């Protein structure tokens, strides 16, 4: 029997690929983006199992309205793909306070808005799956990614706890932590860079920008493959709490675990 999926940020990137993969698996998908025009451009219009709705995830009332409309129209939301987001890339001191707050407004509070709109319905039904698209940058932070990582670290901490709160009601949760995906995530459609000029960082920032420009379009991981894996995982009763995708992500996450073990071993109460 077809399940009803709600996918945010579905007009491009991973969200678009997840939408396509779910449709290919026979699911009914409500795809959302800030503009339905972009969704129509991406999918060429609706068909019987694809439905486009406008949603700015930073608008809590809009998130509630979309959830209510889906439930009224289809009777349920079985799977939420909390995917919409973007990246502030650059050195922390080059970002204005407004830019940092905008990063959190979308990646953290916007993601919370959608989960808050859907969770009561899933609790009432004693069923459902919330898939939160995080990043390996939610586990590991590096120079140039401090602000973006901070937002994803926040998502990880929130969802790790929220998942435990939902579990007794039959609501499952999956945190997805990809490495570098071949999407437009690192170009101007998604990524933003700091606007404050700080000479001390000039050389390092130039090197970082060169890395980003070189990586854009050449990322090692296929978003179509990740989308297919997410659809398979969503069909399983036993969903892992986390799914780390990509050799790069597993390497970085493993190194972080090793570093934590090293730091724990050094953190004794004895002098």
């Amino acid at each position: 029997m077809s399940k009803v999926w709600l996918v945010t940020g579905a007009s491009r990137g991973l969200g678009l690929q997840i939408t396509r993969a779910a449709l290919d698996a026979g699911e009914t998908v409500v795809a959302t983006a800030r503009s339905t025009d972009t969704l129509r451009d991406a999918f060429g219009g609706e068909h019987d199992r694809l439905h486009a709705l406008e949603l700015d995830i930073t608008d809590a009332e809009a998130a509630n309205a979309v959830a209510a409309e889906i439930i009224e129209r289809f009777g349920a939301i079985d799977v939420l793909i909390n995917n919409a987001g973007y990246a502030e890339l650059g050195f922390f001191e080059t970002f204005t306070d407004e830019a940092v707050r905008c990063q959190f407004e979308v990646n953290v509070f916007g993601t919370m808005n959608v989960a808050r709109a859907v969770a009561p319905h899933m609790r009432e039904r004693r069923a459902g799956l919330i898939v939160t698209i995080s990043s390996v940058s939610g586990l590991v932070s590096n120079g140039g990614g401090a602000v973006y990582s901070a937002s994803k670290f926040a998502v990880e901490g929130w969802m790790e706890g929220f998942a435990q709160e939902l579990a007794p009601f039959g609501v499952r949760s999956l945190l997805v932590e990809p490495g570098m995906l071949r999407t437009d995530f690192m170009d101007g459609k998604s990524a933003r860079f700091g606007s404050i000029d700080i000479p001390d960082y000039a050389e390092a920032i130039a090197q970082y920008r060169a890395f980003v420009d070189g990586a854009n379009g050449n990322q090692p991981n296929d978003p179509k493959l990740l989308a297919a894996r997410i659809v398979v995982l969503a069909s399983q009763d036993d969903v892992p709490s986390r799914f780390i995708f990509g050799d790069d992500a597993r390497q970085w996450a493993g190194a972080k675990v090793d570093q934590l073990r090293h730091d724990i071993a050094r953190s004794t109460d004895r002098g």
Side-chain angles (χ1 to χ4, degrees):
M1 182 177 178
S2 174
K3 292 182 178 179
V4 178
W5 290 47
L6 166 57
V7 182
T8 68
S11 63
R12 57 190 174 87
L14 181 60
L16 184 149
Q17 298 300 337
I18 293 171
T19 299
R20 287 177 173 168
L23 290 170
D24 289 345
E27 309 290 33
T28 296
V29 182
V30 179
T32 71
R34 285 178 293 175
S35 167
T36 52
D37 290 340
T38 62
L39 291 166
R40 282 190 287 269
D41 291 343
F43 297 102
E46 294 194 7
H47 59 68
D48 60 339
R49 288 187 290 102
L50 173 63
H51 310 274
L53 291 178
E54 184 175 302
L55 175 60
D56 179 345
I57 65 170
T58 65
D59 185 338
E61 291 186 3
N64 289 333
V66 163
E69 181 176 344
I70 296 170
I71 294 163
E72 180 178 0
R73 184 173 180 181
F74 300 104
I77 299 173
D78 298 295
V79 180
L80 166 61
I81 305 292
N82 231 343
N83 166 73
Y86 78 101
E88 295 280 5
L89 298 176
F91 283 39
F92 170 69
E93 289 185 80
T94 69
F95 291 107
T96 63
D97 177 72
E98 181 182 7
V100 175
R101 290 179 184 275
C102 184
Q103 177 77 107
F104 274 72
E105 193 65 43
V106 175
N107 288 8
V108 182
F109 301 121
T111 302
M112 287 180 173
N113 284 339
V114 182
R116 189 181 286 113
V118 172
H121 164 71
M122 290 185 171
R123 276 193 292 103
E124 183 178 354
R125 293 181 64 226
R126 297 300 196 260
L129 171 64
I130 296 176
V131 179
T132 306
I133 306 301
S134 179
S135 168
V136 70
S137 294
L139 298 173
V140 181
S141 186
N142 296 292
V147 172
Y148 175 65
S149 283
S151 71
K152 290 300 187 180
F153 269 60
V155 166
E156 293 267 341
W158 157 63
M159 204 60 222
E160 185 174 296
F162 188 32
Q164 295 175 40
E165 296 165 3
L166 290 171
F169 303 101
V171 181
R172 299 168 297 149
S173 175
L174 170 63
L175 271 163
V176 179
E177 296 151 340
M180 297 176 69
L181 296 173
R182 285 192 302 279
T183 68
D184 60 6
F185 188 73
M186 299 179 90
D187 70 17
K189 293 180 181 179
S190 185
R192 301 179 188 175
F193 292 87
S195 60
I196 300 171
D197 182 30
I198 299 179
D200 278 348
Y201 292 131
E203 182 177 352
I205 289 173
Q207 292 174 354
Y208 181 72
R209 287 296 297 265
F211 161 75
V212 171
D213 291 342
N216 186 31
N218 298 305
Q219 296 95 325
N221 299 303
D222 185 351
K224 292 182 181 179
L225 179 58
L226 175 55
R229 293 294 301 275
I230 289 171
V231 171
V232 170
L233 287 168
S235 69
Q236 299 175 356
D237 292 331
D238 184 18
V239 179
S241 59
R242 282 179 164 86
F243 178 60
I244 301 173
F245 179 78
D247 289 342
D248 55 345
R250 288 185 288 271
Q251 180 180 350
W252 297 333
K256 179 65 175 279
V257 170
D258 291 342
Q259 183 63 51
L260 283 171
R261 291 186 186 280
H262 176 72
D263 291 341
I264 290 168
R266 295 186 63 188
S267 301
T268 67
D269 294 330
R270 299 188 297 274

